[in-house]
Amino acid sequence: MPQDSGLGVFVALIGNSLIGASFSIMKVAHDRNPPGGNYLLIPMWWAGTLLMILGELGNLVAYSLAKPSLISPLGAVSVVVNVPVAYLVLGEKMSLRNISGCFLCILGGYGIVGVVAGNTTERAEVTVVEFEDMVYRPSFLVFLAVSIFESVDLIWSQRQTSLTYIMVCSLLGGVTVLSIKAATSFLILTIQGVNQFAYVLPFVLMPVLFVTLILQVHYLNKAIAEFGTAEVVPTYYVLFTSCAVVGSAILYGDLQDSSKEHVMIFLLSFFATSAGVYLVANKAGDEKEKKKI
């Protein structure tokens, strides 16, 4: 594994661990919030939000060091970490279902890291000119148009369902990830003496990054507050990671150097991780087991 990718994976593991802890802390705040109350006035919510911000900053650094298709699936770590934190903070019991889910997440994550980091070439930092050429490809323009227009349509519809909130987060999240990767490349090249801020694109990209991040946090909070982590976390992980990986594969060609066998291992690893996230986060199975007992 290239040194930068290894460091990116390490930073992503720490960042997603902080995010995993933030889920339970924010859930405590939402549980304490009376009907019609403002969760922004609860210190516990701000503590969880601070952890999430620190975790996302870690992911931002990780995206600058490694490919989005390598970093995005590692979000499963947040679900694994949430299991012991939920046990300590929320008093949730650990079950065989939780442990099996954690095992699948770890196994799938190992497969993803092995394929992406070990079997693809590392791309150099992208200049503004190179990024513009990649952005104007028809395949990426279709991806971008679908992401933006579908997000606007879902927001405009004002449907208050978990899937609506999560789809907005995921579609915008795919755009955010690609924007972060480009923005960090521009910044690194500028620091190295190759000024990328002489072009207009970086100044267009920054507001896009800011707006998509704000909307993601807003709708993720609405989803967790109204539907809970059991329903939100597994669905968000699968949809967000899918959008990020597909977008990165189209824009940066992350998997184009991989063989068919490695692509198949990547997909199977992603499915294993998704199944693990579902087992950990969805408590319906545990409740059925309790009723049988």
Side-chain angles (χ1 to χ4, degrees), residues 164-181:
T164 298
Y165 297 150
I166 295 167
M167 279 299 296
V168 172
C169 291
S170 302
L171 290 168
L172 294 178
V175 177
T176 303
V177 165
L178 301 178
S179 300
I180 288 173
K181 180 66 176 176

PDB file of all heavy atoms in Angstrom, residues 164-181:
ATOM      1  N   THR A 164     -36.321   9.941   2.007  1.00  0.00           N
ATOM      2  CA  THR A 164     -36.145  11.268   1.402  1.00  0.00           C
ATOM      3  C   THR A 164     -34.949  11.980   2.011  1.00  0.00           C
ATOM      4  O   THR A 164     -34.072  12.497   1.296  1.00  0.00           O
ATOM      5  CB  THR A 164     -37.409  12.123   1.615  1.00  0.00           C
ATOM      6  OG1 THR A 164     -38.513  11.505   0.960  1.00  0.00           O
ATOM      7  CG2 THR A 164     -37.212  13.519   1.037  1.00  0.00           C
ATOM      8  N   TYR A 165     -34.892  12.018   3.344  1.00  0.00           N
ATOM      9  CA  TYR A 165     -33.780  12.680   4.025  1.00  0.00           C
ATOM     10  C   TYR A 165     -32.445  12.029   3.676  1.00  0.00           C
ATOM     11  O   TYR A 165     -31.446  12.710   3.406  1.00  0.00           O
ATOM     12  CB  TYR A 165     -33.984  12.636   5.536  1.00  0.00           C
ATOM     13  CG  TYR A 165     -35.196  13.375   6.036  1.00  0.00           C
ATOM     14  CD1 TYR A 165     -35.869  12.965   7.192  1.00  0.00           C
ATOM     15  CD2 TYR A 165     -35.710  14.482   5.357  1.00  0.00           C
ATOM     16  CE1 TYR A 165     -36.987  13.646   7.666  1.00  0.00           C
ATOM     17  CE2 TYR A 165     -36.823  15.165   5.817  1.00  0.00           C
ATOM     18  CZ  TYR A 165     -37.461  14.738   6.967  1.00  0.00           C
ATOM     19  OH  TYR A 165     -38.564  15.401   7.425  1.00  0.00           O
ATOM     20  N   ILE A 166     -32.427  10.697   3.692  1.00  0.00           N
ATOM     21  CA  ILE A 166     -31.177   9.968   3.466  1.00  0.00           C
ATOM     22  C   ILE A 166     -30.710  10.101   2.025  1.00  0.00           C
ATOM     23  O   ILE A 166     -29.513  10.219   1.756  1.00  0.00           O
ATOM     24  CB  ILE A 166     -31.340   8.485   3.853  1.00  0.00           C
ATOM     25  CG1 ILE A 166     -31.594   8.365   5.366  1.00  0.00           C
ATOM     26  CG2 ILE A 166     -30.098   7.692   3.482  1.00  0.00           C
ATOM     27  CD1 ILE A 166     -32.061   6.994   5.796  1.00  0.00           C
ATOM     28  N   MET A 167     -31.650  10.099   1.081  1.00  0.00           N
ATOM     29  CA  MET A 167     -31.284  10.260  -0.325  1.00  0.00           C
ATOM     30  C   MET A 167     -30.665  11.630  -0.571  1.00  0.00           C
ATOM     31  O   MET A 167     -29.686  11.753  -1.318  1.00  0.00           O
ATOM     32  CB  MET A 167     -32.508  10.063  -1.217  1.00  0.00           C
ATOM     33  CG  MET A 167     -32.867   8.618  -1.493  1.00  0.00           C
ATOM     34  SD  MET A 167     -31.554   7.705  -2.343  1.00  0.00           S
ATOM     35  CE  MET A 167     -31.458   8.578  -3.897  1.00  0.00           C
ATOM     36  N   VAL A 168     -31.226  12.670   0.057  1.00  0.00           N
ATOM     37  CA  VAL A 168     -30.646  14.016  -0.077  1.00  0.00           C
ATOM     38  C   VAL A 168     -29.214  14.015   0.461  1.00  0.00           C
ATOM     39  O   VAL A 168     -28.290  14.532  -0.191  1.00  0.00           O
ATOM     40  CB  VAL A 168     -31.497  15.066   0.661  1.00  0.00           C
ATOM     41  CG1 VAL A 168     -30.782  16.415   0.686  1.00  0.00           C
ATOM     42  CG2 VAL A 168     -32.865  15.216  -0.002  1.00  0.00           C
ATOM     43  N   CYS A 169     -29.021  13.433   1.646  1.00  0.00           N
ATOM     44  CA  CYS A 169     -27.679  13.360   2.249  1.00  0.00           C
ATOM     45  C   CYS A 169     -26.708  12.599   1.352  1.00  0.00           C
ATOM     46  O   CYS A 169     -25.560  13.011   1.170  1.00  0.00           O
ATOM     47  CB  CYS A 169     -27.746  12.665   3.603  1.00  0.00           C
ATOM     48  SG  CYS A 169     -28.595  13.581   4.889  1.00  0.00           S
ATOM     49  N   SER A 170     -27.162  11.499   0.803  1.00  0.00           N
ATOM     50  CA  SER A 170     -26.287  10.622   0.018  1.00  0.00           C
ATOM     51  C   SER A 170     -25.924  11.222  -1.330  1.00  0.00           C
ATOM     52  O   SER A 170     -24.760  11.208  -1.742  1.00  0.00           O
ATOM     53  CB  SER A 170     -26.963   9.262  -0.181  1.00  0.00           C
ATOM     54  OG  SER A 170     -27.279   8.660   1.055  1.00  0.00           O
ATOM     55  N   LEU A 171     -26.926  11.760  -2.042  1.00  0.00           N
ATOM     56  CA  LEU A 171     -26.672  12.359  -3.351  1.00  0.00           C
ATOM     57  C   LEU A 171     -25.736  13.572  -3.232  1.00  0.00           C
ATOM     58  O   LEU A 171     -24.775  13.712  -3.999  1.00  0.00           O
ATOM     59  CB  LEU A 171     -27.984  12.773  -4.004  1.00  0.00           C
ATOM     60  CG  LEU A 171     -28.889  11.629  -4.470  1.00  0.00           C
ATOM     61  CD1 LEU A 171     -30.279  12.151  -4.822  1.00  0.00           C
ATOM     62  CD2 LEU A 171     -28.270  10.907  -5.667  1.00  0.00           C
ATOM     63  N   LEU A 172     -26.022  14.424  -2.247  1.00  0.00           N
ATOM     64  CA  LEU A 172     -25.149  15.580  -2.020  1.00  0.00           C
ATOM     65  C   LEU A 172     -23.794  15.147  -1.472  1.00  0.00           C
ATOM     66  O   LEU A 172     -22.768  15.772  -1.750  1.00  0.00           O
ATOM     67  CB  LEU A 172     -25.818  16.565  -1.063  1.00  0.00           C
ATOM     68  CG  LEU A 172     -27.079  17.254  -1.583  1.00  0.00           C
ATOM     69  CD1 LEU A 172     -27.670  18.161  -0.509  1.00  0.00           C
ATOM     70  CD2 LEU A 172     -26.786  18.057  -2.845  1.00  0.00           C
ATOM     71  N   GLY A 173     -23.805  14.070  -0.694  1.00  0.00           N
ATOM     72  CA  GLY A 173     -22.555  13.558  -0.133  1.00  0.00           C
ATOM     73  C   GLY A 173     -21.586  13.095  -1.210  1.00  0.00           C
ATOM     74  O   GLY A 173     -20.368  13.295  -1.092  1.00  0.00           O
ATOM     75  N   GLY A 174     -22.118  12.476  -2.269  1.00  0.00           N
ATOM     76  CA  GLY A 174     -21.259  12.070  -3.376  1.00  0.00           C
ATOM     77  C   GLY A 174     -20.580  13.264  -4.020  1.00  0.00           C
ATOM     78  O   GLY A 174     -19.384  13.221  -4.358  1.00  0.00           O
ATOM     79  N   VAL A 175     -21.330  14.359  -4.182  1.00  0.00           N
ATOM     80  CA  VAL A 175     -20.767  15.590  -4.752  1.00  0.00           C
ATOM     81  C   VAL A 175     -19.751  16.201  -3.786  1.00  0.00           C
ATOM     82  O   VAL A 175     -18.685  16.681  -4.196  1.00  0.00           O
ATOM     83  CB  VAL A 175     -21.889  16.608  -5.057  1.00  0.00           C
ATOM     84  CG1 VAL A 175     -21.303  17.917  -5.571  1.00  0.00           C
ATOM     85  CG2 VAL A 175     -22.865  16.037  -6.077  1.00  0.00           C
ATOM     86  N   THR A 176     -20.065  16.169  -2.478  1.00  0.00           N
ATOM     87  CA  THR A 176     -19.164  16.731  -1.471  1.00  0.00           C
ATOM     88  C   THR A 176     -17.816  16.034  -1.466  1.00  0.00           C
ATOM     89  O   THR A 176     -16.757  16.681  -1.422  1.00  0.00           O
ATOM     90  CB  THR A 176     -19.795  16.618  -0.072  1.00  0.00           C
ATOM     91  OG1 THR A 176     -21.053  17.281  -0.061  1.00  0.00           O
ATOM     92  CG2 THR A 176     -18.894  17.237   0.983  1.00  0.00           C
ATOM     93  N   VAL A 177     -17.838  14.702  -1.511  1.00  0.00           N
ATOM     94  CA  VAL A 177     -16.603  13.917  -1.483  1.00  0.00           C
ATOM     95  C   VAL A 177     -15.698  14.282  -2.660  1.00  0.00           C
ATOM     96  O   VAL A 177     -14.486  14.488  -2.497  1.00  0.00           O
ATOM     97  CB  VAL A 177     -16.936  12.410  -1.509  1.00  0.00           C
ATOM     98  CG1 VAL A 177     -15.708  11.586  -1.855  1.00  0.00           C
ATOM     99  CG2 VAL A 177     -17.483  11.969  -0.159  1.00  0.00           C
ATOM    100  N   LEU A 178     -16.283  14.373  -3.845  1.00  0.00           N
ATOM    101  CA  LEU A 178     -15.498  14.708  -5.030  1.00  0.00           C
ATOM    102  C   LEU A 178     -14.975  16.143  -4.964  1.00  0.00           C
ATOM    103  O   LEU A 178     -13.856  16.431  -5.405  1.00  0.00           O
ATOM    104  CB  LEU A 178     -16.350  14.514  -6.281  1.00  0.00           C
ATOM    105  CG  LEU A 178     -16.907  13.097  -6.483  1.00  0.00           C
ATOM    106  CD1 LEU A 178     -17.778  13.028  -7.725  1.00  0.00           C
ATOM    107  CD2 LEU A 178     -15.781  12.072  -6.562  1.00  0.00           C
ATOM    108  N   SER A 179     -15.774  17.038  -4.382  1.00  0.00           N
ATOM    109  CA  SER A 179     -15.354  18.434  -4.226  1.00  0.00           C
ATOM    110  C   SER A 179     -14.200  18.547  -3.236  1.00  0.00           C
ATOM    111  O   SER A 179     -13.257  19.322  -3.445  1.00  0.00           O
ATOM    112  CB  SER A 179     -16.530  19.297  -3.755  1.00  0.00           C
ATOM    113  OG  SER A 179     -17.596  19.264  -4.676  1.00  0.00           O
ATOM    114  N   ILE A 180     -14.292  17.778  -2.143  1.00  0.00           N
ATOM    115  CA  ILE A 180     -13.225  17.791  -1.135  1.00  0.00           C
ATOM    116  C   ILE A 180     -11.911  17.314  -1.745  1.00  0.00           C
ATOM    117  O   ILE A 180     -10.848  17.913  -1.533  1.00  0.00           O
ATOM    118  CB  ILE A 180     -13.607  16.907   0.066  1.00  0.00           C
ATOM    119  CG1 ILE A 180     -14.706  17.578   0.893  1.00  0.00           C
ATOM    120  CG2 ILE A 180     -12.392  16.615   0.939  1.00  0.00           C
ATOM    121  CD1 ILE A 180     -15.257  16.697   1.996  1.00  0.00           C
ATOM    122  N   LYS A 181     -11.978  16.230  -2.509  1.00  0.00           N
ATOM    123  CA  LYS A 181     -10.772  15.688  -3.134  1.00  0.00           C
ATOM    124  C   LYS A 181     -10.134  16.714  -4.062  1.00  0.00           C
ATOM    125  O   LYS A 181      -8.905  16.918  -4.041  1.00  0.00           O
ATOM    126  CB  LYS A 181     -11.134  14.418  -3.915  1.00  0.00           C
ATOM    127  CG  LYS A 181      -9.954  13.754  -4.613  1.00  0.00           C
ATOM    128  CD  LYS A 181      -8.944  13.206  -3.614  1.00  0.00           C
ATOM    129  CE  LYS A 181      -7.823  12.461  -4.314  1.00  0.00           C
ATOM    130  NZ  LYS A 181      -6.778  11.996  -3.375  1.00  0.00           N
TER     131      LYS A 181
END
